[in-house]
Amino acid sequence: MNRAALMVLADGRFPAGGHAHSGGAEAAVAAGRITDAASLEAFCRGRLHTAGLVAAGLAAATAAGGDPLALDDAADARTPVPALRTAARRLGRQMMRAARAAWPSAELDALAAARPRGAHQPVVLGLAARAAGLTPLDAAYAVAYENVSGPATAVVRLLSLDPFDATAVLARLADDLDRLAADAAAAGARYPAEGPRILPAASAPLLDITAEQHAAWPVRLFAS
Amino acid sequence: MITAPTTRPSGDTLSAAGLRATARILARTDAQGVTRLPVLDGSGPFALRRLGFPGPQARVCMVGAMSAPLGGDRLAIEATAEAGAQLHLTAAAATVALPGRTGDAATYDVRLTIGDGARLDWLPEPLICAEGSDLWMTTTVELAPTARLVLREEQVLGRTDERTGRLHSRLTVIRDGRTLLDQETAYGPGVPGWDTSAVLGGHRAIGQLLVVGPEYEDAEQRVRLLGGAAPERLDTGGGQGVLAPLTGPAVLATAVAPDALRLRTVLDEAARNLPG
């Protein structure tokens, strides 16, 4: 039990660059798919059970001692569009800088050397969790929570949504987050013995399509 | 809320009502470079018809001989193009997943194996998930380093004016021992978040066109927005999609649309705009 380290890692103010990304919310707002708290909640629930589940599984498998480079390849195979692979690696590079400062470790150094342009963010976070003495379940929680808190925070800025309403959306997703983190951690625990097929690979076609639309915008508030 | 089972039904579960059938196709080139079909073995719901005259490419059409898959069925197709062979597979009609008598899920497993210098085109008609159906599908492709693949997959959630059944599908593509693409889709009653603006946004037809081949190794691969996703068209009422390179010698088009017809229009646009 190492609760304080989890709070440091999962803190929205942890300097890992997440505030520059909307998790697809900026494109969804522009398309009229997110207009209020209810539509934000639906978007977040869909994102959580697809991209969030995949990311949480990768983080848990890394925290469970899986080979980070193999898991980085598994992340590529689960990310079919370049805009999202680029975003995940940028976030991974930023997470790496913050994690090496917070919890210096030989494993983080080795991954940074092997992937100088950045590994996928959930893999880096899983390794950071290991370095901080956290469990695979902790890593799954941190990734899954960030997966919905990012869009919720972005929509407060994009739509001038009431921050109280955005926080209430996150609170209503808590049961989903609990179940999903447990599922991701269970898959992650089986990864070292069973390999990548055991990890979730849930896809969200609209997130993939709109990520590339968004990347082609000449002017945007968020990087992804 | 109904909770979806998170694991597929075991192959060992004997279901008295269910059908078990495996179709097998083996393509091999002879000394003259003609692709022969030493194994062309349909069974149960699969009737296989060879089309056209013998040549470098063997064309086979899957003719649905009966309605399938029904709940409880265990169906499989195994197709292999050995080194240098060219095998082109199509279907005469859509596949409709229907509920069975027992409420059991059905399984449908497709396994494609492609040798060096060989090419396999897997172009079935759409899979339609009728109300009350529950299908677990896997498509697993293994390619040798210089193998080529063209694969189209279309899923339609419910017949006209009908709610959808439940579909779990996983597509895994392995090339030269490395996983190029691994994707799961889960739609329908009890699946959390499937009918949301992050996943389908009200669309009821989902499709992919995957093309793998050594010619995509170094080719300049730009992203192309398709249908209503393209900036000059921005029409979210129709189909939309994206054609983009994977990490490896492959491109993938992903599309969503209100119905099968408009989905095919987007995938055909992708096929006309493949790089190279």
Side-chain angles (χ1 to χ4, degrees):
Chain A
M1 181 63 72
N2 187 355
R3 258 183 205 152
L6 176 58
M7 293 176 81
V8 173
L9 179 63
D11 190 337
R13 287 157 291 191
F14 189 77
H19 63 276
H21 295 258
S22 78
E26 186 171 25
V29 166
R33 294 191 183 103
I34 300 177
T35 55
D36 56 12
S39 49
L40 170 64
E41 182 175 342
F43 176 87
C44 286
R45 183 167 279 111
R47 177 170 158 80
L48 178 65
H49 287 283
T50 51
L53 177 62
V54 171
L58 291 165
T62 312
D67 173 13
L69 295 178
L71 285 156
D72 196 51
D73 287 347
D76 267 347
R78 285 160 175 72
T79 317
V81 293
L84 292 179
R85 292 195 293 270
T86 301
R89 291 191 182 282
R90 277 197 192 137
L91 283 164
R93 190 171 50 193
Q94 185 74 20
M95 168 68 68
M96 179 63 85
R97 292 178 60 195
R100 288 170 88 185
W103 301 287
S105 100
E107 287 181 338
L108 284 169
D109 294 345
L111 180 59
R115 292 282 182 275
R117 295 169 60 201
H120 280 258
Q121 191 260 11
V123 176
V124 181
L125 188 144
L127 216 49
R130 253 172 97 74
L134 294 169
T135 65
L137 179 62
D138 294 332
Y141 262 108
V143 166
Y145 178 69
E146 193 211 18
N147 196 267
V148 287
S149 66
T153 308
V155 169
V156 168
R157 292 168 65 188
L158 290 162
L159 280 181
S160 301
L161 185 72
D162 187 333
F164 289 95
D165 292 339
T167 300
V169 165
L170 295 176
R172 285 197 293 275
L173 290 167
D175 287 345
D176 284 58
L177 279 162
D178 283 332
R179 281 195 299 270
L180 184 136
D183 288 350
R190 292 170 66 182
Y191 171 79
E194 296 179 54
R197 289 229 47 175
I198 201 68
L199 296 180
S203 68
L206 272 180
L207 285 181
D208 292 340
I209 295 165
T210 58
E212 288 296 346
Q213 277 183 304
H214 183 264
W217 291 5
V219 179
R220 51 188 194 264
L221 192 56
F222 291 94
S224 73
Chain B
M1 191 171 81
I2 310 158
T3 305
T6 51
T7 52
R8 61 180 258 141
S10 156
D12 308 328
T13 313
L14 260 172
S15 161
L19 178 76
R20 284 153 187 277
T22 300
R24 290 186 180 83
I25 304 159
L26 175 64
R28 179 180 289 161
T29 47
D30 66 14
Q32 284 72 46
V34 174
T35 296
R36 305 285 179 188
L37 297 172
V39 179
L40 185 64
D41 175 17
S43 87
F46 303 112
L48 303 175
R49 299 275 178 272
R50 179 161 192 167
L51 306 175
F53 299 100
Q57 182 188 64
R59 300 172 75 91
V60 173
C61 183
M62 296 170 281
V63 182
M66 55 190 280
S67 186
L70 300 176
D73 287 355
R74 303 282 175 268
L75 306 181
I77 297 181
E78 294 169 6
T80 299
E82 290 186 347
Q86 294 186 39
L87 177 61
H88 187 275
L89 289 159
T90 56
T95 299
V96 184
L98 293 164
R101 278 176 290 173
T102 59
D104 288 346
T107 64
Y108 182 19
D109 298 302
V110 176
R111 177 170 284 277
L112 309 175
T113 307
I114 314 167
D116 269 315
R119 170 172 170 158
L120 196 154
D121 290 48
W122 174 254
L123 302 167
E125 292 302 303
L127 168 69
I128 301 170
C129 301
E131 184 169 0
S133 65
D134 188 359
L135 176 65
W136 290 74
M137 180 163 186
T138 64
T139 305
T140 308
V141 189
E142 288 198 48
L143 296 105
T146 59
R148 288 182 175 80
L149 168 73
V150 177
L151 179 149
R152 184 183 64 216
E153 192 178 75
E154 295 161 304
Q155 299 158 344
V156 180
L157 304 179
R159 292 169 295 196
T160 307
D161 297 327
E162 176 187 69
R163 282 182 296 182
T164 184
R166 189 158 61 204
L167 173 66
H168 284 86
S169 176
R170 188 157 190 163
L171 170 62
T172 308
V173 181
I174 298 159
R175 178 184 163 273
D176 196 14
R178 181 179 164 276
T179 304
L180 194 58
L181 178 66
D182 201 346
Q183 277 200 313
E184 283 177 293
T185 54
Y187 305 124
V191 176
W194 72 275
D195 194 14
T196 64
S197 58
V199 182
L200 293 183
H203 291 293
R204 285 294 176 270
I206 312 96
Q208 298 193 305
L209 177 72
L210 171 67
V211 186
V212 186
E215 60 269 40
Y216 297 110
E217 190 83 70
D218 300 311
E220 188 188 353
Q221 297 179 7
R222 275 195 305 252
V223 172
R224 186 182 178 94
L225 294 163
L226 304 168
E232 67 276 15
R233 279 176 282 181
L234 280 181
D235 156 32
T236 52
Q240 52 182 307
V242 64
L243 175 64
L246 298 180
T247 307
V251 290
L252 176 74
T254 301
V256 295
D259 55 46
L261 195 64
R262 282 179 276 187
L263 178 71
R264 182 65 68 86
T265 304
V266 180
L267 293 178
D268 285 347
E269 184 189 342
R272 286 193 305 274
N273 288 284
L274 293 172

